[in-house]
Amino acid sequence: MTSARPVSQDKRKKVLKVIFVSLLLDLISFTFILPLFPKLLEFYRNLETAQGSSNSILNRIFIGLNAYKQSFSRPISDRYDIVLLGGALGSLFSFLQAIASPFIGSLSDKYGRRTALLWSMAGNIASVALWVAATDFRTFLASRVVGGLSEGNVQLATAMAADVSDEKQRGATMALVGACFSIAFTFGPALGAALANVETVAANPFATAAGFSLFLIVVETVYLYFYLPETLPASQPKSFANGSQSKTSNSAQKHTRTNSHLLLNLTHFVFILFFSGMEFSFPFMTYDLFAYSSSQSGKLLGFIGLIASILQGSVTRRLHPLRVVQVGVVACAASFFLLGRLTTEAGLWGAASLLAVTTATVVTGLNSLSSFEAKEGERGGKLGNHRSWALLPSGQMGRSCGPLLFCTLYWWAGRDVAYAVGGAGMLGVCALVFGGLKAPPKSLPQATG
């Protein structure tokens, strides 16, 4: 009686529509801040310098960053202080996500996706509200901490998408989630930069962008409250009363795994470790080689997002998830070696095209593979651990360590060595993907039976 019943096509369409709209709102709001970091942090530095706050949190951070810079053999201009601080804040956000993701996923398995997501949205609202009110760096830092600890939207959207999709539909469904990322990263940063030019509050020049971001998050929360049904299989979240019945039913329906979560998490971690480092160093490289301005770099990133969106809508959703990952890691390894050698803008745009292939495939495919290995009642927790590992030791720890380690190598040994090491790391990921991972039988189209 507790076995999960197939989801009707009407309910599946409704849930996927809600996931797509809400995730798009969430990610556009999330990406507003990305192009604003340098000016935003410069504003707080100038503010605290003018106030003579020598013992403030921000000043103590800059003292530490200057000490860190002295360890590089190649001198780093003071203009990179803001960039390094932005990277440190990004790492902090990812680290906190890594801590929170497994807990959010496990709670969604126990009490329901809808409940967990609405609580996560409450934390997001608090985070962006703090940003609106951030007239000093301490308040802004608090907004990032609250945001990192409460950001569970992507992980829960992935779990819900898996809940309403059967094995044949899952690859296409994960591609839909991935397409939200590409669309948001194509338009969100540009919109955030435009709104930052509209000053409404003198004490916080970024209040307009923050206020619109808050508006999107509130709209998303209201939309989810009224339109999102519960998707957790076995009809309702587990209660203690029927816990024994659930156990017998689970053991009766033995779940066979094709890939261990340890191998999936290791693959995700190593990939994100190198890929996030490259992402963070990308603006440095375009500036060093071609003196790219922020708008030129934004145009290049928009190109990557646009190509990734097209690929996710046309190619990624039609391939089985293992093939998707294989294509992506090969493209990523090639882009690393090209980035280490290129001398022309044509080469740069060629490498960007390869990175678009990677963006459209690898994480989407790994999420899909992970969802195949989870039993119905543990999907949220497994996907939470999967995301956490890539940052911590599969999603967030790799993203926490990657930028710092890769930039250290970049400035110590130079572009050639950094990208050659990154390429070698990606070849290691290729070895894991081609030599270790297997395609779950149910993911293969028209599998022989």
Side-chain angles (χ1 to χ4, degrees):
M1 195 78 192
T2 54
S3 63
R5 283 173 285 193
V7 177
S8 70
Q9 275 303 105
D10 284 345
K11 180 176 180 181
R12 182 172 184 271
K13 282 182 184 173
K14 178 184 178 183
V15 169
L16 290 180
K17 178 187 170 186
V18 174
I19 288 173
F20 184 81
V21 172
S22 65
L23 203 51
L24 205 53
L25 288 171
D26 188 77
L27 291 171
I28 289 174
S29 170
F30 175 78
T31 56
F32 269 15
I33 199 169
L34 299 181
L36 308 183
F37 261 122
K39 288 200 169 187
L40 194 147
L41 296 175
E42 195 173 83
F43 164 74
Y44 289 124
R45 181 174 66 175
N46 294 341
L47 179 69
E48 297 202 359
T49 301
Q51 291 174 344
S53 316
S54 57
N55 207 26
S56 67
I57 294 174
L58 188 56
N59 265 317
R60 288 202 295 267
I61 289 172
F62 275 120
I63 289 168
L65 281 178
N66 281 322
Y68 173 67
K69 280 198 309 180
Q70 303 312 312
S71 66
F72 291 99
S73 57
R74 142 187 322 213
I76 300 177
S77 164
D78 286 347
R79 68 189 290 273
Y80 290 123
D81 286 356
I82 294 294
V83 179
L84 288 171
L85 178 56
L89 283 175
S91 291
L92 172 66
F93 188 88
S94 295
F95 181 77
L96 294 171
Q97 267 191 302
I99 293 171
S101 285
F103 292 104
I104 293 172
S106 297
L107 287 172
S108 82
D109 285 337
K110 255 185 199 172
Y111 304 111
R113 315 284 190 229
R114 188 175 182 278
T115 301
L117 183 54
L118 289 173
W119 277 108
S120 174
M121 291 306 303
N124 288 342
I125 289 172
S127 168
V128 184
L130 281 169
W131 181 25
V132 174
T135 55
D136 56 44
F137 179 73
R138 185 170 50 184
T139 308
F140 176 72
L141 183 61
S143 82
R144 300 305 291 168
V145 170
V146 172
L149 288 172
S150 58
E151 179 56 61
N153 307 44
V154 176
Q155 151 194 354
L156 292 173
T158 304
M160 288 186 292
D163 289 341
V164 297
S165 303
D166 62 28
E167 287 79 2
K168 301 295 182 196
Q169 299 165 326
R170 204 161 287 162
T173 303
M174 293 301 164
L176 180 72
V177 174
C180 291
F181 274 91
S182 301
I183 295 168
F185 276 80
T186 302
F187 299 108
L191 187 54
L195 288 168
N197 293 324
V198 182
E199 188 173 318
T200 51
V201 180
N204 180 4
F206 306 94
T208 306
F212 196 74
S213 178
L214 179 61
F215 169 73
L216 290 180
I217 291 292
V218 171
V219 168
E220 180 194 357
T221 306
V222 173
Y223 179 66
L224 288 169
Y225 182 82
F226 284 107
Y227 292 101
L228 180 67
E230 181 54 69
T231 66
L232 186 65
S235 72
Q236 292 296 331
K238 297 174 202 167
S239 67
F240 295 110
N242 58 15
S244 57
Q245 190 183 353
S246 294
K247 271 183 196 168
T248 41
S249 141
N250 279 345
S251 53
Q253 291 186 318
K254 197 87 171 168
H255 181 80
T256 28
R257 303 195 195 279
T258 308
N259 300 297
S260 74
H261 279 289
L262 179 62
L263 179 59
L264 284 167
N265 287 337
L266 178 63
T267 305
H268 197 188
F269 168 64
V270 179
F271 168 75
I272 290 289
L273 181 71
F274 289 102
F275 185 73
S276 65
M278 180 278 302
E279 273 185 314
F280 187 71
S281 70
F282 202 60
F284 290 154
M285 193 206 61
T286 56
Y287 177 81
D288 286 342
L289 283 182
F290 307 111
Y292 265 26
S293 65
S294 297
S295 62
Q296 287 173 305
S297 291
K299 196 182 297 182
L300 187 62
L301 294 172
F303 168 77
I304 292 173
L306 180 62
I307 298 299
S309 299
I310 294 168
L311 289 173
Q312 278 168 328
S314 58
V315 177
T316 304
R317 62 194 298 270
R318 289 184 168 85
L319 298 176
H320 68 77
L322 181 58
R323 181 71 68 231
V324 165
V325 177
Q326 289 171 338
V327 169
V329 294
V330 169
C332 194
S335 70
F336 264 101
F337 290 116
L338 183 54
L339 287 168
R341 295 289 193 186
L342 63 86
T343 55
T344 64
E345 285 193 71
L348 176 64
W349 286 81
S353 300
L354 291 169
L355 290 174
V357 175
T358 303
T359 303
T361 53
V362 179
V363 174
T364 297
L366 286 172
N367 280 340
S368 185
L369 286 174
S370 184
S371 72
F372 276 104
E373 306 307 334
K375 291 184 282 191
E376 300 288 0
E378 62 181 15
R379 195 169 283 141
K382 291 299 183 187
L383 287 169
N385 284 321
H386 181 63
R387 278 179 56 74
S388 169
W389 251 74
L391 297 212
L392 212 67
S394 143
Q396 248 66 356
M397 191 48 84
R399 203 172 288 278
S400 296
C401 302
L404 188 60
L405 293 175
F406 196 86
C407 280
T408 299
L409 187 59
Y410 189 106
W411 293 111
W412 244 329
R415 172 174 66 103
D416 301 5
V417 173
Y419 284 105
V421 170
M426 276 300 150
L427 290 179
V429 176
C430 288
L432 285 171
V433 169
F434 283 90
L437 294 180
K438 298 179 181 66
K442 292 179 180 178
S443 75
L444 296 169
Q446 306 297 321
T448 57

